[in-house]
Amino acid sequence: MEGSSSMLDAEAVADLVLLDPLTEESLVQTLRERFRRRDIYTYIGNVVISVNPYQSLPIYTPEKVEEYRNCSFFAVKPHIYAIADDAYRSLRDRDRDQCILITGESGAGKTEASKLVMSYVAAVSSKGEEVNKVKEQLLQSNPVLEAFGNAKTVRNDNSSRFGKYMDIEFDFKGEPLGGVISNYLLEKSRIVRHVKGERNFHIFYQLLAGASPQLLQQLKLRQDCGHYGYLDREGSSLPGMDDAANFHAMQDAMRIIGFSPTEVTELLQVTAVVLKLGNVQLSSSFQASGMEACSISEPQELNEICELIGLDPGALERALCSRTVKARDETVLTTLSVPQGYYGRDALAKNIYSRLFDWLVKRINASIQVKSDKQRKVMGVLDIYGFEIFQDNGFEQFIINYCNEKLQQIFILMTLKEEQEEYVREGIQWTPVEFFDNSIICNLIENNTTGILAMLDEECLRPGVVNEDTFLTKLNQLLATHKHYESKETQNARRVTDASLPPRCFRIHHYAGKVTYNVMGFIEKNNDLLFRDLSQAMWAAKHALLRSLFPEGDPQKVSLKLPPTAGFQFKSSVAMLMKNLYSKNPNYIRCIKPNDTKSAMVFTPELVLAQVRYLGLLENVRVRRAGYAFRQLYGPFLQRYKMLNAQTWPRWDRGDREGTEVLLAGLQFPAEELAFGHTKIFIRSPRTLFDLERRRQERVAELATLIQKMFRGWRCRTQYQLMRKSQILISAWFRGHRQKNRYKQMKRSALILQAYARGWKSRRLLQELKSQCRRHAAATTIAAHWRGYQARRTYRKYFRSSASTCLANFIYRRLVQKYLVGLAKNLPPLSVTDRTWPPAPYRFLDNTNQELKNIFYHWKCKKYRDQLSASRRAQLQARLCASELFKDKKTLYPKSLQQPFRGDYLGLKQNPKYQKLHAVAKDKLVMADSVRKVNRASGKTVPRLLLLTTEHLVLADPKAAQPKTVLSLSDIRGVSVTRFSDGFLALHLKEVSTVGAKGDFLLVSDHLIELVTRLYQTFEATTGQALPLHITDRFSTRFPKGDVSITVVESPKASTNGPVCKKKGSNKMEVLVWTRVWEPGQCPFTPETPKSCLHHPESDRDHSSTCVPTRANRHVVTSPQVGMVPIC
């Protein structure tokens, strides 16, 4: 092992192997001193001794976990975390399966120790969602098993009444995968009876205290513990333990492990059945034959039990009050007496609870067991009852002490084996150790022929009268000469008088001391019989869980073979446990109870001494120090003690073993006290080690003094050097300061002298400047008087001739200023249609006023144009173009002013029939309208669809929606229209074009103004040239057969639907356009009609003009000279 300073405290060594002298008193005194210091853990080599403090200590924090994580076992203070970490690292890094054996009597803290081991392993293993789930399930198995397997005893409030061995399985990385739990010898007799001051199993009190009223009603239970015969009627509450909170914690643990709600309900129902069986009361009666019989005195409890498990009450009553006996081919039904009936009832309750506990362990294993077949590493944790010596020891104590004898046997053998392996590994000669071999005691109990368990089984199976007296007689006959067995009869045979050994008892000399066992109840508890009628009744129940607990009750599988006895089963379980432990590397935790009153930090030496004896701690120490009491690796040993030799101090550059040999050679220890292994130094007696430690402490004190001396010298030298540097610095700063002050004084003196000199010079210069200023002022005054005199003389000479001009100019400027200021305050509105303007207040401002009016109007128009949208701007441009082309030239133009330019009159986008016409042109549409095409030969008109695009003009058939003619705009050479209000149009084409061979086109349109305007704009945008437009009554067109002269005549005889074309020979065509002539008095004028109207009675117009009515009773005058002029 590796030493540390904490272990070498002579008053309270941390490792009892180093205890000197080694006696029971010194061992107990060391434990007491460490306990007083709140060091509850002590080592015996790699064995941990734990003394229960009965209070919480701050030594299990996450910081402590990190302190012991991956730390050398002996490098820190003894702790249960140290052995857990050593076992875990051996498993993870060296692939060695481990087991941790926790032993000690009830109340010593075994259960808490197993929890601490499992929590530490969970804390240091890897993290992850699945890993954490496995850890949580492993840890949560404890509350469930404690609820069903722990109870309050006189020695412990949470005593485990069963042995538990858990195999925790890990993968190759050290991450927990799952586990398997094995249970041993549940104390099921506690179900029906327990000592005064103790309690039954925790689950009964937790169920009654923590279940909701609805659950209690469902289970047919009352909350009062005093109502139930199997519970302690004197007091159910336990100070410091909250049964209700523990019940909820148990339910949460079941949910985490994976119990379904149905399984939890069935589990609690079976628990309630066990509790209620204790309330089933029997009454005595006699049959006609005179034989005693029993019956149920209060059927209510029985009915509620049968209602819970789904069984006929009559069937359960028959099973409790009678018994079926099979003899050869006959079946006889015999009645039971009241004691026999109570025996059957209690046996049923014990069997139900015992089998329920086994099912619970199997169900937990089903959740936490590893499902895969991968190679696994295993760490076992054994939490089993310790050696028990009571005033009255029965069958349970006999079985428990047998198990502890086996554990002591494996401890001695494994410890000696480990010592021997280390000596062989290090090349040290093995010294045989004398120790007590308890195999003779184990053989006394477990021998297959002459062992006590074998004879007990034989007595249980023997026909005839069988009782405890016959069993004790047989033991006395076979074991009379055994030195570890005695009874009253064997003492009498040896003529030994011992009043402490009563009759009907035998005594075994265990390794931990002599224990006297009372044979009463051995036969009954070993048989553990349950009448077949009760098994069959439980199997007949409809309750799934209860039915599964009694497979032997199936009538189809009736077997006359007796079940194995309790002793045989426990012996087999112990044999399997020992085989499992032998296959693993053992680690030991020995738990000690310091007092019987469960008081915090109270140490009772007598009680501790008794436990030290039957735990064999003194013998453990002797085995550990049989050869050498202390061993340590060369490197740490040399590092700790190298200051004891001048050759190794302060630095050793060669090998650690060579340095250790040189170090110990200089200390002159006896050769038999030392042994040099391959990697470790071995020291035989603790006295040598303490001497070595004493020398080290003395040397450390010397070195500390030397270090202090050197440090003080260094500190003084450093302080002196610092003071010297400070003095030099202060002197330098002082001299500099003094020279600076002298320089400043000299500078001030020089400045004063300079100031006086400059002042004298300045005063001299000031006097000269003042005299010059006086002379200059006198000259200026004289000059001013002279200029004033000249100005007055000139004013008197010229003032009267130019005064009127100056006054006129001043008045003119004032009038202009007043006009402009007034105009700024009275500007007209910004509407472009508003042409008003304030008049000029004076005639000489008329031209200016007119110019300002024009400027203001142009500015309003520009501002209006800037606000127009692109579409509105394009529409106004089209209107402007139309005005330039037709205003005062064609009488149709005023009518077009009321009609907006729509462009698309056909609805191409809405009419899918016309959409393919647009696709013919393959460019942007400008205008689409219906026109009439004039036949060149007959003058008749046919309807056509006209599409004007940015590059083409298309004429199409309206019915078939098929293009007839497609003209390129570049093929058009001109357009001719009349000056009348008709829609006649001549489209002149170039002769070289593809369509030009057919001649010019004559068209009639209802939107002539818009059509020609858009054609004009598009032509100009496409070709960059203006389209020639002719507005005339006579023009020439080119037809395929030659040129034709067209004359347009205005006539009332023409059709109102449009122009009428008549052919006059082969080279002439006459076009009649309609107009209406109003006779005087027929014109529908109103009194408001102006005199400019032709037919007004007072009209002064030429009667050759024509009055044409327009919309809204407005009139225009059409005359050959001026065209269409609006007059009203």
Side-chain angles (χ1 to χ4, degrees):
M1 66 183 172
E2 300 176 5
S4 66
S5 59
S6 64
M7 294 189 178
L8 299 177
D9 187 349
E11 293 184 5
V13 290
D15 192 342
L16 296 179
V17 175
L18 304 178
L19 187 61
D20 191 30
L22 179 60
T23 61
E24 288 183 344
E25 291 75 14
S26 62
L27 191 149
V28 173
Q29 180 59 30
T30 300
L31 293 178
R32 183 175 186 175
E33 178 63 22
R34 292 185 60 79
F35 188 74
R36 185 186 65 81
R37 301 180 183 183
R38 296 181 180 269
D39 292 330
I40 64 173
Y41 296 110
T42 310
Y43 289 154
I44 300 178
N46 57 359
V47 177
V48 174
I49 301 173
S50 172
V51 183
N52 191 352
Y54 286 113
Q55 70 176 25
S56 298
L57 296 178
I59 58 174
Y60 307 106
T61 60
E63 293 76 14
K64 282 290 182 183
V65 172
E66 291 301 321
E67 179 182 347
Y68 285 87
R69 185 174 186 174
N70 294 328
C71 186
S72 176
F73 186 82
F74 297 99
V76 288
K77 293 176 64 174
H79 201 289
I80 195 170
Y81 285 169
I83 193 171
D85 184 75
D86 186 62
Y88 175 71
R89 287 191 291 113
S90 297
L91 175 138
R92 182 191 64 191
D93 302 335
R94 296 193 288 273
D95 290 334
R96 296 175 61 186
D97 289 348
Q98 304 289 318
C99 65
I100 299 178
L101 280 65
I102 307 173
T103 57
E105 74 169 51
S106 178
K110 301 186 298 299
T111 302
E112 290 301 319
S114 65
K115 291 180 185 177
L116 291 172
V117 170
M118 293 175 63
S119 63
Y120 179 83
V121 173
V124 300
S125 56
S126 302
K127 303 294 186 293
E129 183 177 353
E130 190 63 29
V131 174
N132 289 336
K133 179 181 178 182
V134 173
K135 292 180 188 177
E136 192 66 19
Q137 287 182 338
L138 290 173
L139 294 176
Q140 291 301 324
S141 64
N142 286 322
V144 179
L145 294 178
E146 285 184 12
F148 284 87
N150 288 24
K152 176 191 180 299
T153 65
V154 292
R155 296 186 175 184
N156 186 7
D157 290 344
N158 188 30
S159 176
S160 297
R161 306 319 298 162
F162 70 103
K164 181 180 71 173
Y165 177 75
M166 173 183 283
D167 270 335
I168 307 174
E169 300 179 340
F170 300 82
D171 63 4
F172 69 97
K173 296 178 293 185
E175 296 179 358
L177 300 174
V180 178
I181 299 174
S182 303
N183 63 301
Y184 303 97
L185 193 63
L186 176 71
E187 189 188 9
K188 57 186 177 182
S189 62
R190 181 171 291 271
I191 292 292
V192 297
R193 69 181 64 87
H194 48 270
V195 179
K196 182 179 181 180
E198 296 186 354
R199 293 204 317 176
N200 212 319
F201 290 102
H202 291 327
I203 183 61
F204 300 118
Y205 306 96
Q206 293 177 2
L207 176 60
L208 297 180
S212 63
Q214 295 79 9
L215 180 58
L216 290 176
Q217 184 178 2
Q218 180 183 350
L219 299 178
K220 314 294 183 185
L221 295 176
R222 300 182 188 177
Q223 201 167 18
D224 181 17
C225 295
H227 176 70
Y228 299 99
Y230 282 161
L231 302 185
D232 185 6
R233 299 182 186 272
E234 296 181 358
S236 59
S237 61
L238 190 60
M241 183 176 292
D242 189 346
D243 289 324
N246 291 337
F247 179 74
H248 298 312
M250 185 266 296
Q251 287 183 312
D252 294 338
M254 284 186 171
R255 177 180 51 79
I256 293 173
I257 293 172
F259 281 77
S260 66
T262 303
E263 289 175 328
V264 175
T265 302
E266 292 180 348
L267 181 66
L268 297 179
Q269 286 174 345
V270 175
T271 305
V273 167
V274 174
L275 192 57
K276 295 178 73 63
L277 273 175
N279 286 4
V280 175
Q281 301 297 320
L282 304 177
S283 60
S284 177
S285 62
F286 291 92
Q287 296 180 339
S289 61
M291 294 184 62
E292 184 182 2
C294 66
S295 61
I296 305 297
S297 59
E298 293 293 338
Q300 181 181 357
E301 292 285 354
L302 186 72
N303 293 335
E304 290 180 353
I305 292 173
C306 293
E307 186 177 348
L308 281 174
I309 63 178
L311 181 64
D312 180 28
L316 182 57
E317 183 176 3
R318 284 192 300 273
L320 289 173
C321 298
S322 61
R323 180 183 179 188
T324 302
V325 180
K326 288 188 178 181
R328 297 183 181 178
D329 296 335
E330 295 183 4
T331 301
V332 179
L333 181 65
T334 62
T335 59
L336 300 177
S337 63
V338 172
Q340 290 174 335
Y342 279 128
Y343 171 82
R345 181 200 69 175
D346 293 343
L348 177 62
K350 291 189 291 184
N351 272 272
I352 290 176
Y353 194 83
S354 176
R355 299 184 188 201
L356 178 66
F357 189 78
D358 292 338
W359 175 88
L360 183 65
V361 173
K362 292 178 183 178
R363 178 61 185 84
I364 294 175
N365 287 337
S367 295
I368 66 176
Q369 199 165 9
V370 183
K371 307 300 187 295
S372 63
D373 297 330
K374 297 180 180 177
Q375 186 176 2
R376 302 183 290 272
K377 306 175 184 179
V378 178
M379 176 186 289
V381 179
L382 177 63
D383 174 11
I384 201 164
Y385 15 60
F387 201 88
E388 293 186 351
I389 305 177
F390 297 146
Q391 192 71 24
D392 184 16
N393 301 289
F395 180 75
E396 290 84 358
Q397 284 68 42
F398 176 74
I399 292 296
I400 289 172
N401 293 340
Y402 161 61
C403 180
N404 278 271
E405 286 284 356
K406 297 295 291 183
L407 291 176
Q408 176 67 11
Q409 184 181 27
I410 191 175
F411 171 75
I412 296 296
L413 294 178
M414 295 298 287
T415 303
L416 291 175
K417 180 181 178 183
E418 182 182 354
E419 287 286 309
Q420 184 175 2
E421 286 179 353
E422 183 170 20
Y423 286 153
V424 172
R425 187 168 58 249
E426 292 293 331
I428 305 297
Q429 177 142 10
W430 167 252
T431 303
V433 180
E434 294 184 4
F435 63 94
F436 171 67
D437 186 1
N438 68 334
S439 59
I440 186 173
I441 302 176
C442 296
N443 189 57
L444 169 66
I445 298 174
E446 67 182 3
N447 188 276
N448 291 331
T449 56
T450 60
I452 295 177
L453 288 177
M455 286 186 283
L456 181 61
D457 290 346
E458 182 180 340
E459 193 67 16
C460 291
L461 299 175
R462 184 175 61 83
V465 178
V466 178
N467 53 40
E468 284 77 4
D469 294 332
T470 59
F471 168 62
L472 183 59
T473 302
K474 192 168 187 177
L475 288 181
N476 294 332
Q477 292 174 358
L478 294 177
L479 305 175
T481 60
H482 201 288
K483 62 180 181 178
H484 290 279
Y485 172 85
E486 62 180 345
S487 65
K488 200 66 176 177
E489 286 74 9
T490 60
Q491 286 183 350
N492 292 337
R494 298 174 189 170
R495 297 179 181 178
V496 176
T497 302
D498 186 2
S500 63
L501 182 61
R504 306 188 75 178
C505 295
F506 66 92
R507 180 180 292 162
I508 295 179
H509 296 197
H510 289 283
Y511 77 94
K514 299 178 182 180
V515 183
T516 302
Y517 299 101
N518 190 338
V519 297
M520 295 304 297
F522 266 59
I523 301 295
E524 175 190 338
K525 294 176 181 178
N526 189 53
N527 273 328
D528 195 21
L529 290 179
L530 180 68
F531 297 148
R532 185 178 293 110
D533 302 77
L534 293 172
S535 298
Q536 292 177 350
M538 294 300 101
W539 190 86
K542 296 180 181 179
H543 196 278
L545 176 57
L546 185 63
R547 181 187 178 97
S548 66
L549 299 180
F550 293 88
E552 75 277 9
D554 187 355
Q556 304 297 328
K557 300 179 181 179
V558 174
S559 174
L560 298 178
K561 183 179 179 181
L562 290 175
T565 62
F568 179 80
Q569 294 178 15
F570 188 74
K571 177 182 173 183
S572 302
S573 300
V574 169
M576 292 180 60
L577 176 63
M578 295 301 117
K579 181 179 179 181
N580 195 354
L581 296 179
Y582 273 117
S583 66
K584 297 178 175 61
N585 182 53
N587 302 270
Y588 299 95
I589 301 175
R590 303 288 199 174
C591 298
I592 292 178
K593 181 171 68 171
N595 60 78
D596 278 328
T597 59
K598 307 172 203 172
S599 302
M601 302 308 295
V602 175
F603 192 92
T604 306
E606 296 78 12
L607 178 64
V608 174
L609 178 59
Q611 296 175 77
V612 166
R613 285 174 179 170
Y614 68 68
L615 284 175
L617 298 185
L618 192 64
E619 193 168 45
N620 294 352
V621 176
R622 288 183 180 138
V623 169
R624 287 294 301 179
R625 57 191 286 182
Y628 295 89
F630 177 82
R631 64 214 64 180
Q632 191 176 25
L633 293 172
Y634 288 121
F637 184 86
L638 180 62
Q639 187 67 26
R640 181 171 181 79
Y641 298 106
K642 64 181 179 179
M643 74 284 296
L644 300 180
N645 194 308
Q647 299 182 42
T648 57
W649 178 261
R651 184 179 294 106
W652 178 259
D653 297 329
R654 297 195 290 275
D656 293 337
R657 174 169 180 169
E658 184 180 355
T660 304
E661 292 175 350
V662 171
L663 169 65
L664 294 176
L667 298 177
Q668 299 179 354
F669 286 120
E672 62 273 11
E673 284 291 317
L674 306 174
F676 296 92
H678 297 308
T679 62
K680 294 181 180 180
I681 173 68
F682 290 78
I683 299 177
R684 184 175 298 278
S685 65
R687 188 176 295 102
T688 303
L689 179 63
F690 286 127
D691 183 48
L692 189 65
E693 187 65 21
R694 178 185 55 78
R695 295 186 187 187
R696 179 183 180 277
Q697 291 177 357
E698 294 175 356
R699 181 58 178 162
V700 167
E702 294 175 0
L703 292 176
T705 304
L706 178 62
I707 292 172
Q708 290 175 356
K709 180 182 69 174
M710 298 299 294
F711 173 75
R712 291 192 186 101
W714 170 83
R715 186 174 61 182
C716 290
R717 285 190 298 273
T718 303
Q719 187 175 3
Y720 166 74
Q721 292 174 357
L722 183 60
M723 291 174 63
R724 186 171 181 272
K725 289 180 180 179
S726 301
Q727 187 270 334
I728 294 173
L729 184 62
I730 292 171
S731 300
W733 276 94
F734 176 74
R735 286 192 294 270
H737 175 70
R738 187 175 59 181
Q739 291 299 327
K740 289 177 183 177
N741 288 341
R742 289 181 61 187
Y743 168 75
K744 290 178 181 178
Q745 183 65 32
M746 293 173 64
K747 183 178 180 181
R748 282 196 297 269
S749 302
L751 290 175
I752 291 174
L753 293 175
Q754 290 176 359
Y756 276 107
R758 292 192 189 97
W760 178 78
K761 290 176 64 177
S762 298
R763 285 189 293 275
R764 288 280 303 274
L765 180 61
L766 179 62
Q767 290 176 357
E768 292 181 2
L769 290 176
K770 284 182 177 180
S771 62
Q772 288 180 5
C773 286
R774 283 194 294 270
R775 289 194 296 270
H776 184 268
T780 302
T781 302
I782 295 171
H785 280 285
W786 170 250
R787 284 193 295 272
Y789 166 74
Q790 287 183 330
R792 284 190 294 274
R793 191 174 63 176
T794 304
Y795 173 76
R796 283 193 298 269
K797 183 178 180 180
Y798 298 105
F799 174 73
R800 292 197 176 106
S801 62
S802 60
S804 60
T805 304
C806 292
L807 290 175
N809 290 336
F810 175 77
I811 294 172
Y812 176 78
R813 285 194 298 270
R814 287 295 298 158
L815 292 175
V816 171
Q817 182 182 9
K818 183 178 180 181
Y819 161 70
L820 293 177
V821 171
L823 185 62
K825 295 180 180 180
N826 297 291
L827 287 176
L830 297 180
S831 173
V832 294
T833 59
D834 189 351
R835 301 296 295 269
T836 61
W837 185 258
Y842 308 103
R843 292 186 60 184
F844 71 90
L845 294 175
D846 286 344
N847 294 335
T848 303
N849 191 54
Q850 185 63 34
E851 189 65 26
L852 289 176
K853 176 182 178 181
N854 294 336
I855 293 173
F856 181 75
Y857 183 74
H858 284 94
W859 174 78
K860 283 198 304 184
C861 293
K862 181 180 182 304
K863 189 172 182 180
Y864 175 75
R865 290 196 302 273
D866 293 342
Q867 296 175 350
L868 294 175
S869 62
S871 59
R872 180 64 177 163
R873 186 185 297 271
Q875 190 175 11
L876 291 178
Q877 286 176 350
R879 287 289 188 180
L880 180 61
C881 181
S883 175
E884 293 174 351
L885 294 176
F886 298 107
K887 185 176 180 180
D888 300 332
K889 299 177 183 178
K890 186 172 176 63
T891 57
L892 183 62
Y893 173 72
K895 293 176 62 177
S896 69
L897 294 176
Q898 306 298 325
Q899 301 174 356
F901 287 1
R902 290 168 50 190
D904 183 8
Y905 293 92
L906 300 180
L908 291 181
K909 295 182 180 179
Q910 293 77 16
N911 194 341
K913 178 180 178 181
Y914 294 155
Q915 288 181 359
K916 58 184 178 180
L917 293 175
H918 185 211
V920 175
K922 298 181 181 179
D923 45 14
K924 183 178 179 181
L925 179 69
V926 178
M927 183 175 177
D929 192 13
S930 297
V931 300
R932 297 184 295 281
K933 178 177 175 292
V934 179
N935 189 287
R936 299 182 184 93
S938 62
K940 296 182 178 180
T941 61
V942 293
R944 287 289 184 266
L945 301 179
L946 183 143
L947 273 70
L948 175 62
T949 66
T950 55
E951 295 183 1
H952 297 83
L953 190 145
V954 181
L955 294 175
D957 186 359
K959 294 182 179 180
Q962 294 292 333
K964 291 290 187 176
T965 305
V966 179
L967 297 176
S968 175
L969 296 183
S970 59
D971 294 339
I972 302 174
R973 61 184 179 87
V975 176
S976 297
V977 298
T978 69
R979 58 187 178 84
F980 306 116
S981 60
D982 59 276
F984 186 75
L985 166 69
L987 197 63
H988 305 289
L989 304 178
K990 297 178 181 179
E991 298 182 6
V992 295
S993 64
T994 56
V995 187
K998 298 181 180 180
D1000 299 339
F1001 287 92
L1002 301 179
L1003 304 175
V1004 179
S1005 173
D1006 294 336
H1007 307 93
L1008 177 69
I1009 301 298
E1010 182 180 356
L1011 175 60
V1012 174
T1013 301
R1014 293 190 180 277
L1015 179 61
Y1016 184 89
Q1017 288 179 318
T1018 307
F1019 185 87
E1020 186 176 15
T1022 303
T1023 62
Q1025 300 176 359
L1027 177 66
L1029 175 63
H1030 307 284
I1031 303 177
T1032 179
D1033 297 344
R1034 296 177 179 274
F1035 52 86
S1036 177
T1037 60
R1038 185 173 54 81
F1039 285 178
K1041 295 182 180 181
D1043 294 343
V1044 175
S1045 176
I1046 295 178
T1047 302
V1048 181
V1049 180
E1050 191 175 29
S1051 172
K1053 299 180 180 180
S1055 173
T1056 59
N1057 295 329
V1060 177
C1061 301
K1062 295 182 179 180
K1063 201 73 179 290
K1064 300 290 186 178
S1066 59
N1067 296 326
K1068 292 183 179 180
M1069 177 178 287
E1070 187 179 53
V1071 178
L1072 300 179
V1073 295
W1074 179 83
T1075 185
R1076 183 174 182 178
V1077 179
W1078 298 89
E1079 296 297 331
Q1082 293 181 345
C1083 181
F1085 63 88
T1086 62
E1088 291 79 13
T1089 303
K1091 294 181 179 181
S1092 58
C1093 182
L1094 177 64
H1095 296 104
H1096 195 279
E1098 300 180 4
S1099 173
D1100 54 354
R1101 288 191 174 272
D1102 185 4
H1103 287 274
S1104 61
S1105 301
T1106 304
C1107 181
V1108 181
T1110 62
R1111 291 167 46 189
N1113 292 329
R1114 297 191 65 184
H1115 298 77
V1116 297
V1117 175
T1118 304
S1119 67
Q1121 290 79 16
V1122 298
M1124 183 177 291
V1125 180
I1127 59 172
C1128 60

